[in-house]
Amino acid sequence: MSSLFIWGKRSACLLALLMLAPPARPIASAPAAPRFLEEKVGVASVGTPEQRILSAIDHIRSGNLANARATVDALLKEQPNYRLAHLLSGDLYAMRAMPLTTIGAGADSTQAARLEDLRKEAQARISIRLTHAPQTQLPAHLLVFAPQQQYALLIDAEASRIYVFKNVDGVPTYVTEHYATIGKLGSDKFREGDQRTPLGVYFVNNHLSRPYLDKTRGARADLYGIGAWPISFPNELDKSEGRTGSGIWLHGVPANTYARAPWASDGCVALSNEEMLDIAQYIQVGQTPVVIVPKAEWISKVEWQSRRDAALSMVDGWREDWESLKTQPYLSRYAKQFKSDEGQDLARWSSQKASVSASKSWSKIQLDNLSIYASGGPRPHLTTSFTQNYRSNNLDNQMNKRQYWQQEDGIWKIIFEGAAT
């Protein structure tokens, strides 16, 4: 039996442990009472807090309660506000008297909502081990980095996970990852106050330090822990679709807790303070893309290169048609539901572009600092950003531009185009 099969089987058992209904076997076998009168001294597992909480669950599941106790105690000594670790600690004490069928079975049943949140946190942390791929495959969402973009953040809403990738000669290279909290009602934000985290391509556009938050937010500053990094929601496409809201940030957590439940924010993405500080070192304000998807897609390098080449060819084809004054092929690259940043629909846009093209005898168009990122979910898009250098017989200008592409009858077309904000 391969080690991969054994690991998958073990992970599947761990998932069963966390469900509300009792699993096929209890959290630990029912031992004879005298065995627990004098608990053996165990060996604490080492690693990150997440690695150790998972190790403790593994130890409990296998019946190695001494190592589980040592691991939980060491973790709580380092992270005294880690509520999931406290819950496991209570379970370990309860198991001296009786077997438990699920995490938290030995806790006060009047705290049902809190127990459920902690079970969901444990399940989110364990589940990632079943589908983990970022160190062996590439993210389908990070296709083209602009040269100045050193890192990109990818947030998998379903997995409650944030990943950091480095731009290494244009290839997204895995750096690190952490558990993260998203909106109480999930993802795909549409309006102010819907307690959802947005889906799409955004950019970190500010840093609000904790001292600044203390001055401006008072007692509420503690909600954001060590500080906040706002992102550019709503983006240009969101606004054109009538999506509303503001104040979507990456931020820390209050001082009295280590981590929050997977779905607990009002739409922001929250990490433990320690892990938010780790993420912060990779953020370039004004540059770092934050790609939020319902579920991350991991592909081989060969497939990633193919998608990257296709995206680059698509954008260059648009540029070439425009530069060559091929008005009809150029306009055919725009979707029927197209909107410009000035509110023009496809008919008005086409009329204006045809008129402008008729006044040209030649044009030269160069795209610099190009980036291309792909979102997923119910409305998949490609987001392209670039510096456009345009020259013709009667005009010479430069602008930062952003386009959003979506598929129409199986063909990628531009749904929005305008100045990048």
Side-chain angles (χ1 to χ4, degrees):
M1 187 180 294
S2 70
S3 60
L4 179 60
F5 177 79
I6 293 170
W7 180 246
K9 185 176 180 181
R10 177 177 293 180
S11 298
C13 289
L14 290 170
L15 277 176
L17 163 68
L18 300 169
M19 304 307 293
L20 282 175
R25 65 174 187 165
I27 192 170
S29 301
R35 180 180 175 183
F36 292 102
L37 294 178
E38 293 184 7
E39 189 172 283
K40 296 179 181 179
V41 177
V43 177
S45 300
V46 297
T48 66
E50 180 172 67
Q51 289 169 338
R52 285 189 287 175
I53 202 76
L54 293 177
S55 180
I57 293 172
D58 288 344
H59 287 317
I60 294 172
R61 187 66 182 177
S62 65
N64 193 339
L65 304 187
N67 284 356
R69 164 58 60 196
T71 300
V72 169
D73 287 348
L75 180 52
L76 285 172
K77 185 175 181 180
E78 180 184 310
Q79 302 291 346
N81 293 319
Y82 199 166
R83 293 174 183 172
L84 181 56
H86 278 290
L87 185 63
L88 291 183
S89 179
D91 281 351
L92 286 166
Y93 282 117
M95 288 170 67
R96 290 169 176 258
M98 60 182 179
L100 301 183
T101 57
T102 186
I103 285 179
D108 184 354
S109 61
T110 63
Q111 301 295 316
R114 289 189 178 185
L115 289 174
E116 179 61 14
D117 280 347
L118 291 173
R119 291 188 185 114
K120 286 179 179 177
E121 179 188 340
Q123 185 172 345
R125 293 183 186 277
I126 288 178
S127 294
I128 201 66
R129 297 198 296 195
L130 297 175
T131 57
H132 210 228
Q135 297 185 53
T136 58
Q137 295 183 293
L138 298 182
H141 315 279
L142 310 181
L143 295 176
V144 179
F145 285 88
Q148 69 274 18
Q149 292 170 340
Q150 299 175 25
Y151 298 94
L153 306 182
L154 174 63
I155 298 172
D156 183 329
E158 181 178 301
S160 294
R161 209 77 181 169
I162 182 169
Y163 299 91
V164 179
F165 286 89
K166 185 177 182 179
N167 174 7
V168 179
D169 298 325
V171 179
T173 303
Y174 174 85
V175 176
T176 191
E177 65 185 88
H178 295 296
Y179 165 86
T181 294
I182 66 165
K184 292 184 179 74
L185 297 182
S187 59
D188 201 16
K189 186 175 186 61
F190 192 85
R191 58 181 173 272
E192 179 82 34
D194 63 8
Q195 296 183 323
R196 294 180 180 271
T197 297
L199 296 175
V201 178
Y202 305 95
F203 296 87
V204 177
N205 58 20
N206 203 352
H207 172 215
L208 308 179
S209 68
R210 180 55 190 266
Y212 172 82
L213 290 170
D214 285 333
K215 290 180 181 179
T216 58
R217 302 275 171 153
R220 285 182 54 80
D222 187 50
L223 176 65
Y224 311 105
I226 51 90
W229 286 257
I231 64 174
S232 57
F233 176 86
N235 61 27
E236 300 88 354
L237 181 62
D238 293 325
K239 293 175 183 176
S240 74
E241 293 179 339
R243 294 174 184 264
T244 61
S246 61
I248 301 299
W249 301 349
L250 309 178
H251 62 74
V253 295
N256 67 351
T257 187
Y258 173 75
R260 297 171 68 183
W263 306 283
S265 78
D266 286 332
C268 293
V269 177
L271 293 82
S272 74
N273 291 319
E274 178 182 295
E275 292 170 335
M276 187 64 246
L277 281 175
D278 182 50
I279 293 288
Q281 67 182 308
Y282 305 110
I283 293 176
Q284 299 166 272
V285 174
Q287 296 290 345
T288 300
V290 179
V291 183
I292 310 176
V293 298
K295 185 175 183 178
E297 180 183 2
W298 307 104
I299 56 179
S300 69
K301 188 170 183 179
V302 171
E303 175 63 19
W304 176 84
Q305 188 67 55
S306 175
R307 295 194 193 187
R308 182 180 191 274
D309 291 345
L312 286 170
S313 177
M314 176 189 74
V315 174
D316 194 57
W318 165 82
R319 181 203 61 78
E320 187 178 69
D321 286 344
W322 189 18
E323 179 181 83
S324 303
L325 303 177
K326 299 176 181 178
T327 305
Q328 287 309 310
Y330 163 72
L331 291 174
S332 71
R333 294 183 180 272
Y334 290 82
K336 296 174 184 176
Q337 301 302 316
F338 169 80
K339 287 184 181 179
S340 74
D341 57 349
E342 297 178 346
Q344 294 172 307
D345 61 14
L346 181 59
R348 291 186 350 184
W349 176 267
S350 298
S351 177
Q352 177 191 351
K353 291 299 180 180
S355 176
V356 170
S357 181
S359 70
K360 307 293 183 183
S361 57
W362 63 271
S363 68
K364 293 291 181 182
I365 301 167
Q366 180 176 326
L367 308 183
D368 297 320
N369 302 318
L370 173 66
S371 68
I372 306 177
Y373 299 106
S375 64
R379 51 181 196 126
H381 293 95
L382 291 176
T383 301
T384 67
S385 305
F386 48 84
T387 301
Q388 175 182 290
N389 292 284
Y390 180 97
R391 292 187 301 116
S392 70
N393 56 293
N394 56 9
L395 182 64
D396 189 347
N397 75 1
Q398 182 183 92
M399 69 177 294
N400 292 323
K401 181 174 280 189
R402 187 160 293 136
Q403 296 173 330
Y404 295 88
W405 299 65
Q406 73 176 22
Q407 287 200 339
E408 183 177 277
D409 299 324
I411 300 173
W412 285 104
K413 295 196 174 186
I414 301 167
I415 189 71
F416 179 91
E417 180 175 315
T421 56

